[in-house]
Amino acid sequence: MQNLLKTTRGEVPYERIKGIDRSLIDQPSETAASELAAEVEFVVETYEPRVKLTDVELVALAAEVGGFEINASIDNTNT
């Protein structure tokens, strides 16, 4: 999971849609937060079906740092 969420879309050869679209980070946090949450949900559901995503929280970091912090909660219990 952590590796998937740190992967930038387009950096994996032959799997160009794998990863998070980092261009969203340059958008205002009000609009980018929901789109980034959808990206996280898509990546987890597509590439790691063994876990269930229970919560996605995006925190805008301080202006000096820039970007977002992605906090994803998962349930990886096998049913």
Side-chain angles (χ1 to χ4, degrees):
M1 277 283 304
Q2 188 175 24
N3 190 33
L4 277 174
L5 297 180
K6 289 183 177 183
T7 302
T8 301
R9 179 163 292 160
E11 77 174 296
V12 180
Y14 306 109
E15 281 284 352
R16 295 292 180 192
I17 63 167
K18 188 177 198 175
I20 304 295
D21 182 4
R22 300 296 182 192
S23 68
L24 295 173
I25 293 174
D26 292 333
Q27 295 180 7
S29 60
E30 299 85 31
T31 58
S34 62
E35 292 181 41
L36 275 169
E39 287 280 315
V40 169
E41 194 173 322
F42 168 77
V43 168
V44 170
E45 289 176 357
T46 304
Y47 295 101
E48 193 50 77
R50 297 174 292 177
V51 300
K52 179 183 174 194
L53 190 63
T54 58
D55 185 40
V56 177
E57 179 186 10
L58 294 137
V59 180
L61 300 175
E64 309 86 56
V65 178
F68 290 88
E69 179 180 291
I70 300 172
N71 297 318
S73 300
I74 61 168
D75 177 12
N76 64 350
T77 57
N78 294 329
T79 56

